[in-house]
């Protein structure tokens, strides 16, 4: 699974421009899918199995987009101004390198600040392409980039950009592979959705959920942790298992799903944590509020430094999330 994670995080896919990631995922899932399609927004939708009398139509979602920047203006000397796409933190921008979808690379610099102890605002920063004239600038207004940073393994801890949410994408691909074994599939009609535009407001999952009209929805995404020096007060740590979401800024998980997840984790002896996230949301909120409403929940992978170019997760949490998902999906479900 680690080579797959590396391939996924190294493929650029800023919100709205996910085509490269989509084709990587498509090649991985096609051998195991009953049906693969791409909807009008660009969501890759994989169906596995048919709904049996004792089964449900279940939508699983992990987003293939990542945060990035978009060029807004280029000056006569070839310096480009930009806006964030998704929740980019200004604090981490200075000195960061960017890779554009056309292959061009740039480094983020800043104007001289009157108060050097403060972080520059986005409008005070620019991208330097190493050119001296607008005519030599390798990008145009509207071009998009992602942060450029190598994938590294610190033992079982993985560090990379875009682990939000390529770790979730890898988990869904691996779950689909395992569910492919005849003894594990059978009851449910499963939709593995590799969704677009989550970072700009869970937009892809909105249309995917409307189209699929699921009985139950589960997002797989990252969440914060409370285990760093003087960090967040949060009872989630790296390496203690996938987190079962109870609450975030966009969703109160359906309590029946929370119970189903907790009971399944306990009976299968999969370590798990309970997640209450202060800020942020996932595709779960879009699934929950589609049509007349859908019971929805989320399995979260604890991650440090989310929305910086060096996010960190523990591989064991991803491994255990796959174990939990396979357990959840192989049996009939009663949501009473
Ligand atoms: Co995110
Ligand atoms: Zn995410």
């Amino acid at each position: 699974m680690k080579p797959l994670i590396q391939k996924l995080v190294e493929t650029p896919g800023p919100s709205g421009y996910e085509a490269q990631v989509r084709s990587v995922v498509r090649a991985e899932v096609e051998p195991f899918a009953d049906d693969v399609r791409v909807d009008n927004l660009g969501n890759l939708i994989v169906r596995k199995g048919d709904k049996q009398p004792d089964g449900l139509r279940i939508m699983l979602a992990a987003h293939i987009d990542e945060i990035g920047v978009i060029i807004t203006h280029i000056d006569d000397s070839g310096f480009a101004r930009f806006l964030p796409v998704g929740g980019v933190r200004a604090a981490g921008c200075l000195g960061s390198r960017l890779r554009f979808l056309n292959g061009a690379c740039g480094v983020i610099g800043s104007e001289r600040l009157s108060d050097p102890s403060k972080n520059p605002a986005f409008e005070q920063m620019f991208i330097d392409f190493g050119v001296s004239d607008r005519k030599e600038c390798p990008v145009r207004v509207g071009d998009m980039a992602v942060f450029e940073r190598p994938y590294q393994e610190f033992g079982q801890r993985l560090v990379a950009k875009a682990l939000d949410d390529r770790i979730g994408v890898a988990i869904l691909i691996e779950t689909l592979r395992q569910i492919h074994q005849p003894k594990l599939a059978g009851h449910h009609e499963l939709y593995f959705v590799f969704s677009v535009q989550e970072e700009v407001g869970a937009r892809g999952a909105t249309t995917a959920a409307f189209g699929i009209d699921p009985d139950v929805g589960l997002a797989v995404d990252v969440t914060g942790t409370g285990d760093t020096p003087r960090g967040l007060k949060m009872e989630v740590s790296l390496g203690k298992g996938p987190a079962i979401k109870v609450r975030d800024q966009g969703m109160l998980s359906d309590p029946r799903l929370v119970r189903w997840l907790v009971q399944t984790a306990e009976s299968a002896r999969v370590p798990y944590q309970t997640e209450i996230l202060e800020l942020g949301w996932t595709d779960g909120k879009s699934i929950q509020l589609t049509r007349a409403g859908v019971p929805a929940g989320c399995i979260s992978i604890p991650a440090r430094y989310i929305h910086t170019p060096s996010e960190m997760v523990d591989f064991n949490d991803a491994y255990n999330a796959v174990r939990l998902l396979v357990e959840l999906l192989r049996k009939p479900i009663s949501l009473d």
Side-chain angles (χ1 to χ4, degrees):
M1 203 170 152
K2 286 178 186 168
L4 172 63
I5 296 168
Q6 178 168 6
K7 198 197 304 180
L8 287 167
V9 298
E10 286 179 348
T11 308
S15 305
Y17 292 78
E18 299 91 349
Q20 289 184 51
V21 193
R22 188 165 51 239
S23 61
V24 169
V25 176
R26 188 174 198 136
E28 297 288 336
V29 296
E30 236 151 21
F32 309 101
D34 290 343
D35 181 56
V36 180
R37 64 189 173 87
V38 177
D39 78 2
N40 291 333
L41 256 74
N43 298 299
L44 181 74
I45 299 175
V46 175
R47 182 177 60 81
K48 182 75 183 168
D50 294 299
K51 185 167 162 171
Q52 303 300 316
D54 63 350
L56 297 176
R57 186 179 300 137
I58 303 176
M59 171 172 168
L60 305 158
H63 65 91
I64 55 174
D65 66 315
E66 68 190 286
I67 58 170
V69 308
I70 186 166
I71 300 291
T72 54
H73 178 265
I74 298 165
D75 72 14
D76 289 341
S77 307
F79 291 105
R81 300 287 178 159
F82 63 96
L83 274 180
V85 175
V88 176
R89 298 179 184 195
C93 278
L94 218 53
S96 278
R97 304 200 197 162
L98 297 168
R99 181 175 291 275
F100 285 77
L101 293 173
N102 68 4
C105 289
V107 61
I108 299 178
S110 159
E111 297 170 4
R112 186 169 180 277
L113 302 174
S114 51
D115 180 356
S117 68
K118 291 234 169 66
N119 286 313
F122 285 109
E123 59 266 28
Q124 294 172 302
M125 290 187 272
F126 51 78
I127 304 166
D128 184 336
F129 294 95
V131 301
S132 337
D133 191 282
R134 186 212 297 263
K135 288 198 279 296
E136 299 162 34
C137 186
V139 300
R140 290 166 182 268
V141 169
D143 281 0
M144 277 197 163
V146 297
F147 289 90
E148 172 90 340
R149 205 62 76 92
Y151 166 92
Q152 288 183 301
E153 293 177 9
F154 301 176
Q156 288 296 81
R157 305 259 157 107
L158 314 180
V159 178
K161 59 99 171 160
L163 281 165
D164 173 12
D165 185 26
R166 306 286 160 72
I167 193 70
V169 172
I171 287 165
L172 285 196
I173 293 171
E174 184 57 29
T175 302
L176 173 66
R177 264 191 204 135
Q178 296 194 16
I179 284 284
H180 185 64
Q181 300 172 44
K183 62 178 170 40
L184 293 182
H187 305 281
H188 306 296
E189 186 165 313
L190 303 175
Y191 288 88
F192 292 78
V193 176
F194 300 93
S195 60
V196 295
Q197 297 191 37
E198 190 275 347
E199 296 292 358
V200 290
R203 296 178 191 169
T206 306
T207 61
F210 191 98
I212 291 166
D213 193 10
D215 300 316
V216 160
L218 274 183
V220 180
D221 206 336
V222 296
T223 188
T225 70
D227 60 353
T228 51
R230 302 182 76 178
L232 211 60
K233 284 263 182 292
M234 184 175 178
E235 297 228 3
V236 172
S237 305
L238 242 52
K240 293 190 178 167
I244 295 169
K245 188 186 292 292
V246 175
R247 183 269 183 203
D248 67 22
Q249 218 179 353
M251 178 172 80
L252 291 156
S253 299
D254 190 296
R256 296 167 297 176
L257 292 200
V258 172
R259 205 177 314 128
W260 170 51
L261 268 68
V262 167
Q263 283 170 357
T264 304
E266 284 179 353
S267 64
R269 297 177 190 280
V270 178
Y272 72 92
Q273 312 182 67
T274 302
E275 177 203 356
I276 317 285
L277 182 66
E278 202 176 310
L279 299 172
W281 64 80
T282 72
D283 281 341
K285 76 159 186 167
S286 296
I287 302 171
Q288 186 174 50
L289 299 182
T290 200
R291 292 181 181 257
V294 175
C298 178
I299 296 176
S300 299
I301 306 307
R304 294 178 184 163
Y305 325 122
I306 294 174
H307 289 190
T308 75
S310 298
E311 300 172 330
M312 181 190 282
V313 302
D314 190 307
F315 178 75
N316 294 309
D317 294 333
Y319 171 82
N320 283 314
V322 174
R323 285 180 60 211
L324 177 57
L325 275 163
V326 171
E327 279 299 315
L328 289 166
L329 301 175
R330 71 195 192 91
K331 287 184 237 163
I333 302 162
S334 82
L335 289 182
D336 308 320

